[in-house]
Amino acid sequence: MKKNAIFLFVFLAAFRLATAGEGMWLPLLLEQLNEKEMKSMGMRISAEDIYSINNSSLKDAILLFGRGCTAEIVSDKGLILTNHHCGYGQIQSHSSLEHDYLTNGFWAMNQSEELPNPGLSVTLLVRMEDVTSKVLQALKPGMSESQREAAIREISATLEQEAVKGTHYKAVVKPFYYGNEFYMFVSETFNDVRLVGAPPSNIGKFGGDTDNWMWPRHTGDFSIFRIYANKNNEPAEYSADNVPYTPKSHLKISLKGAEKGDFTFVFGYPGTTQEYLPSNAIQMITQQANPPAIRLRGKRLAIFDKYQNESNLVRIQYAAKHASVANYWKKMIGENRGIQKLDAINKKQELENGFKSWAASDAGREKMYGGILPAFDELYGKMGRLEEDQTYLIEAGLGIEAVRFAYGFNTLLIQSTDKKVTDEAIDEQIKKLRTYADAFFKNYYAPIDHEVFIVLMQDWFEHQEGARMPGNLTMELLKHGNSFTRWADVVFEKSMFTDQQRLNKFLDRYNRRKARQIEVDPMFSIAEAIYGHYIRAIRPSISGLEATNDSLQRIYMRGLMEYQPDKRFYPDANSTLRVTYGKVDDYSPRDAVDYRYYTTLEGIMEKEDPAIYDYVVEPKLKKLYREKDYGRYGDRDGTMHVCFTASNHTSVGNSGSPVLNADGYLLGINFDRNWEGTMSDLMYDPDQCRNISIDIRYCLFIVDKFAGAGHLVNEMTIVE
Ligand code: ARG
Ligand code: GLU
């Protein structure tokens, strides 16, 4: 019996290892830390094929796209794939009533039709380097936290300068494991990136916010761009003379599809994870910060929904705002449920108890680590309250659009009262503010904001005592007879920041003596109270605690690594290039429910609802479906696969990342996680955490069969 149990334990442990998806690994260390496991899971290529310093490797096809997404090069002419939601801003900026690319899609039929995107860049990693010892050499024992930081800044700057001397590259040194290790990243940034193709929104955003973070999913979340370079194949600002970039390598595409159990890996730029925080932090995030944010966003979204359903114009005006408010709202809900279901706080506490006894059993360790957990208790005791205050300031105060907008006039106010600022500079600022105002009012519907003001202020006052709020707000409310509605009525009627005509009149006749009118504007003074409270009271206190936290977390991290010498630690995500690997896999979200790992076009037809914007199906897509006209993109089972799930540990920023198979061929494009697994930024659960990808065959089917842009597929390297 006992023997059997041990056998079962060993067997299960091995099984766990072989299916494990946890970890976001540094490409540089794959060979040392992961290659063996990756091969045991089915990988047929080597770590060197993925990341090599000397030879071209897959990493030469992976890009940081814009500020926070990933993209991959898929042709020798610099063609790149990312998500529709990553290219959304660019697609939107080229859209007008005559050319509504968001609604109808966009396809460049030749290179001259590809559209430039000022402000958009993509970044390629040239190499990375472990510079830990060089950085640590610059540090002396006994340094204070700020001395330490200054020394790190100085040595980093030196290393960065040396690394890029005589090149057009950029280098940055980043801390890993909370400042226990340091790596330098040398990269190359391209600024001429053109829009090549995007499906209509009812393919690229099918399911909208309703399906967001959810499985089963049917979103064709992709868009296509191309990198342009100068005649020497080097990065250059946009120019009509630029030519398509010739990459060192581009991804090959597999049309074989993904099957359950297949090895996959995701190569991209995850933004932030916090896997090594103490239980106090998880408690703070899930019990103090998330709940008011979820509640306040929920109220805001209900108001958006009401007005968006009433008017088509408002629906369009608030589409992007709705998406961005809803995205984190839903993420936080999922995160809280996941943490609860995983019993994550208890799990962390168990780990901490073990750590405590381990530290206590040795005098040296006790001296080094004994004080850490009590120090966290004290720190988070103070931090929690400030986090709450900050959450209300951001989610309630800055949830009011006109508050954020009005504060944009603060610079003009400051300039106007500063004699050193010339009249020309002020004219320049006015010009900027006009553009700023045009952009704001284009998508502003004051009745929404008016109601949001009432509802959010009321919530804030109900949940926080006045002493913790910006002082002026309490006075203002009192002045309006403690009525939120009356207060809102007056502010919205009097302020020039809620009405473009009033604002234009003011700007038309502006001279610096009129600056006072900004100051006394009722919306501006609310904004000033909110931002001022944040800048003067909340932020400095939080910063002080964060500095303490940084040093505690650094020591705790080192302690954890010593305490568990056999565990392989991966560094938390920090927007650097990572490899995460797992298997194509399904999951069971709750008792009696099993989800299949892939979806098909049948599911799109099941979800179709012409009355609901997010579930409209294009007639052309229906025709292809009826005729089963899938070409070489259909699955062997006769259906068109749309999305699939796998156990790769991904995070925000992995949007657009390539999902690759055992041979390193492109299988899909990552775009989301499942709701039940969104706590993976704090704690990963191999049982529940899945990444969601669009099947590359559906993507190419849309490009080729739906859009008739087969010339783009012809550019790619397809492995049938
Ligand atoms: N949840 C995905 C991510 O975090 C997709 C967001 C965009 N889609 C949406 N319906 N809001 O970025
Ligand atoms: N949609 C996310 C992004 O834009 C990726 C999904 C995730 O967070 O895992 O980065």
Side-chain angles (χ1 to χ4, degrees):
M1 187 63 207
K2 206 168 160 208
K3 219 166 154 190
N4 268 346
I6 289 172
F7 172 76
L8 191 69
F9 177 77
V10 171
F11 174 77
L12 284 177
F15 183 72
R16 267 271 165 271
L17 192 75
T19 55
E22 177 167 6
M24 302 172 160
W25 305 93
L26 283 168
L28 178 69
L29 303 179
L30 279 187
E31 188 174 338
Q32 186 188 328
L33 293 177
N34 313 96
E35 188 180 45
K36 204 163 144 229
E37 185 183 60
M38 292 169 93
K39 287 195 162 161
S40 81
M41 289 167 69
M43 184 171 79
R44 286 185 287 267
I45 57 174
S46 68
E48 174 83 5
D49 294 326
I50 298 175
Y51 177 89
S52 165
I53 319 174
N54 304 313
N55 302 306
S56 74
S57 55
L58 293 177
K59 83 123 183 19
D60 299 313
I62 314 300
L63 302 156
L64 176 69
F65 181 91
R67 256 164 274 145
C69 280
T70 307
E72 51 277 6
I73 306 179
V74 289
S75 91
D76 57 7
K77 296 190 197 64
L79 199 66
I80 66 178
L81 293 176
T82 187
N83 289 147
H84 185 265
H85 78 261
C86 294
Y88 196 84
Q90 282 74 34
I91 305 165
Q92 184 174 40
S93 76
H94 293 296
S95 295
S96 60
L97 280 177
E98 305 85 69
H99 303 285
D100 188 352
Y101 301 141
L102 269 186
T103 307
N104 306 316
F106 168 77
W107 305 97
M109 285 303 161
N110 55 59
Q111 285 174 8
S112 70
E113 288 178 10
E114 298 177 355
L115 301 171
N117 301 287
L120 174 66
S121 65
V122 294
T123 298
L124 205 53
L125 179 71
V126 176
R127 63 187 168 85
M128 57 182 294
E129 187 185 328
D130 183 353
V131 293
T132 307
S133 60
K134 290 178 188 163
V135 172
L136 293 184
Q137 257 169 34
L139 305 180
K140 296 187 187 66
M143 272 183 163
S144 73
E145 197 61 21
S146 61
Q147 287 169 328
R148 188 177 189 275
E149 251 170 49
I152 292 172
R153 256 198 312 276
E154 196 186 316
I155 178 73
S156 299
T158 310
L159 293 171
E160 289 160 1
Q161 274 162 21
E162 278 169 17
V164 300
K165 212 181 277 158
T167 70
H168 60 271
Y169 298 155
K170 268 195 217 108
V172 57
V173 173
K174 286 201 176 194
F176 284 72
Y177 302 103
Y178 296 92
N180 285 295
E181 293 183 15
F182 295 85
Y183 289 81
M184 179 162 64
F185 298 82
V186 178
S187 64
E188 185 177 28
T189 295
F190 294 83
N191 292 320
D192 187 353
V193 185
R194 303 188 195 168
L195 178 64
V196 175
S201 286
N202 52 37
I203 290 174
K205 227 177 129 47
F206 184 80
D209 287 340
T210 315
D211 285 10
N212 191 25
W213 296 114
M214 306 250 272
W215 187 255
R217 191 66 160 279
H218 300 86
T219 314
D221 198 344
F222 77 93
S223 58
I224 309 179
F225 289 79
R226 189 190 304 279
I227 309 174
Y228 280 76
N230 67 18
K231 298 245 152 61
N232 302 323
N233 205 35
E234 285 164 353
E237 291 305 318
Y238 169 80
S239 153
D241 297 334
N242 285 348
V243 292
Y245 170 66
T246 307
K248 271 197 258 171
S249 97
H250 68 272
L251 300 183
K252 294 181 183 138
I253 295 169
S254 166
L255 292 186
K256 291 215 187 81
E259 273 176 48
K260 187 173 164 172
D262 283 355
F263 172 79
T264 61
F265 65 105
V266 174
F267 208 172
Y269 283 90
T272 314
T273 60
Q274 302 177 292
E275 312 285 345
Y276 308 106
L277 301 184
S279 56
N280 323 60
I282 309 301
Q283 239 156 349
M284 179 181 84
I285 293 168
T286 57
Q287 292 166 17
Q288 288 178 283
N290 284 354
I294 292 168
R295 196 183 60 243
L296 286 159
R297 284 185 179 223
K299 290 183 176 179
R300 204 154 28 126
L301 288 168
I303 298 169
F304 286 5
D305 280 335
K306 191 174 78 186
Y307 288 93
Q308 283 185 290
N309 287 335
E310 280 170 8
S311 143
N312 230 9
L313 177 67
V314 176
R315 187 181 52 69
I316 295 167
Q317 285 181 314
Y318 277 73
K321 293 177 198 175
H322 190 287
S324 89
V325 175
N327 196 37
Y328 261 74
W329 167 74
K330 207 161 171 183
K331 158 88 197 301
M332 287 185 278
I333 295 174
E335 183 169 86
N336 267 23
R337 287 186 194 158
I339 289 294
Q340 175 90 29
K341 186 169 172 195
L342 198 51
D343 199 16
I345 293 168
N346 273 326
K347 286 204 172 91
K348 289 257 177 195
Q349 282 168 348
E350 271 166 37
L351 173 77
E352 286 156 16
N353 288 338
F355 180 79
K356 235 183 269 173
S357 335
W358 167 81
S361 66
D362 174 285
R365 290 204 295 248
E366 179 61 19
K367 186 156 174 273
M368 182 62 96
Y369 301 119
I372 288 283
L373 291 166
F376 273 135
D377 287 340
E378 197 190 317
L379 178 96
Y380 281 103
K382 295 183 199 147
M383 187 80 118
R385 202 178 143 87
L386 289 165
E387 272 295 317
E388 241 171 53
D389 292 350
Q390 175 170 268
T391 302
Y392 278 100
L393 280 168
I394 294 173
E395 299 290 343
L398 306 189
I400 302 158
E401 292 174 70
V403 165
R404 297 198 304 273
F405 175 62
Y407 201 66
F409 285 71
N410 196 37
T411 311
L412 179 63
L413 176 62
I414 294 169
Q415 286 178 329
S416 301
T417 47
D418 182 349
K419 292 202 187 74
K420 285 191 296 271
V421 177
T422 62
D423 287 348
E424 288 72 42
I426 289 190
D427 286 346
E428 205 37 54
Q429 181 65 15
I430 295 273
K431 244 208 313 255
K432 271 195 224 156
L433 288 172
R434 282 186 196 278
T435 319
Y436 170 64
D438 284 343
F440 175 76
F441 283 109
K442 179 170 174 260
N443 288 327
Y444 184 66
Y445 188 57
I448 290 191
D449 211 27
H450 181 259
E451 196 167 329
V452 164
F453 182 102
I454 297 173
V455 170
L456 297 193
M457 283 294 187
Q458 185 159 4
D459 183 289
W460 193 356
F461 274 90
E462 258 168 36
H463 288 88
Q464 274 209 315
E465 68 243 48
R468 289 171 69 179
M469 296 178 60
N472 296 7
L473 297 189
T474 320
M475 267 159 39
E476 285 299 315
L477 178 63
L478 207 64
K479 248 182 23 204
H480 296 93
N482 270 324
S483 159
F484 292 98
T485 311
R486 193 161 337 139
W487 184 18
D489 288 350
V490 172
V491 172
F492 275 76
E493 206 191 294
K494 295 247 170 80
S495 172
M496 58 187 171
F497 298 109
T498 55
D499 180 295
Q500 192 165 18
Q501 270 178 353
R502 277 199 292 270
L503 184 65
N504 279 343
K505 228 195 260 160
F506 172 73
L507 290 175
D508 288 346
R509 289 189 232 135
Y510 191 79
N511 66 55
R512 60 209 303 163
R513 282 185 308 277
K514 300 227 164 87
R516 172 115 186 103
Q517 286 183 38
I518 301 174
E519 224 173 343
V520 298
D521 182 277
M523 191 64 82
F524 184 86
S525 54
I526 291 171
E528 159 56 34
I530 291 170
Y531 280 96
H533 188 62
Y534 180 71
I535 296 166
R536 290 186 287 271
I538 305 297
R539 195 62 238 170
S541 316
I542 291 187
S543 298
L545 293 180
E546 273 170 358
T548 315
N549 189 29
D550 285 350
S551 79
L552 287 178
Q553 188 65 42
R554 181 173 69 245
I555 299 167
Y556 183 49
M557 183 81 233
R558 196 173 63 218
L560 283 176
M561 292 168 102
E562 267 175 50
Y563 169 51
Q564 300 170 301
D566 296 329
K567 184 174 157 154
R568 261 181 325 174
F569 284 86
Y570 58 93
D572 265 327
N574 58 356
S575 295
T576 56
L577 186 60
R578 303 295 177 93
V579 170
T580 161
Y581 50 95
K583 289 190 167 187
V584 174
D585 207 358
D586 49 22
Y587 71 107
S588 163
R590 53 190 176 275
D591 189 32
V593 180
D594 289 316
Y595 282 151
R596 193 178 64 196
Y597 68 92
Y598 67 94
T599 57
T600 68
L601 252 185
E602 322 281 327
I604 292 186
M605 298 315 301
E606 281 171 7
K607 282 181 178 173
E608 185 195 16
D609 185 343
I612 300 179
Y613 182 77
D614 288 334
Y615 293 101
V616 174
V617 182
E618 292 279 319
K620 177 95 184 270
L621 187 58
K622 282 199 259 192
K623 182 167 178 282
L624 291 165
Y625 167 73
R626 267 197 312 272
E627 294 167 3
K628 300 273 172 288
D629 185 4
Y630 304 150
R632 55 179 172 157
Y633 310 111
D635 191 78
R636 269 173 307 180
D637 67 12
T639 67
M640 182 76 237
H641 288 207
V642 175
C643 295
F644 67 91
T645 53
S647 59
N648 299 293
H649 185 183
T650 52
S651 187
V652 171
N654 272 122
S655 271
S657 299
V659 184
L660 302 141
N661 71 9
D663 297 308
Y665 300 155
L666 189 63
L667 275 185
I669 310 170
N670 185 74
F671 70 95
D672 212 357
R673 267 174 289 170
N674 61 333
W675 212 8
E676 299 82 2
T678 41
M679 71 299 186
S680 64
D681 291 342
L682 300 173
M683 191 184 274
Y684 185 87
D685 177 8
D687 211 48
Q688 290 296 309
C689 293
R690 297 292 176 266
N691 67 309
I692 301 178
S693 312
I694 170 172
D695 193 308
I696 197 66
R697 296 171 299 174
Y698 180 60
C699 169
L700 300 187
F701 159 77
I702 294 294
V703 174
D704 188 352
K705 290 278 184 179
F706 173 84
H711 61 284
L712 297 174
V713 180
N714 293 341
E715 239 188 272
M716 306 176 190
T717 309
I718 310 278
V719 191
E720 300 235 10

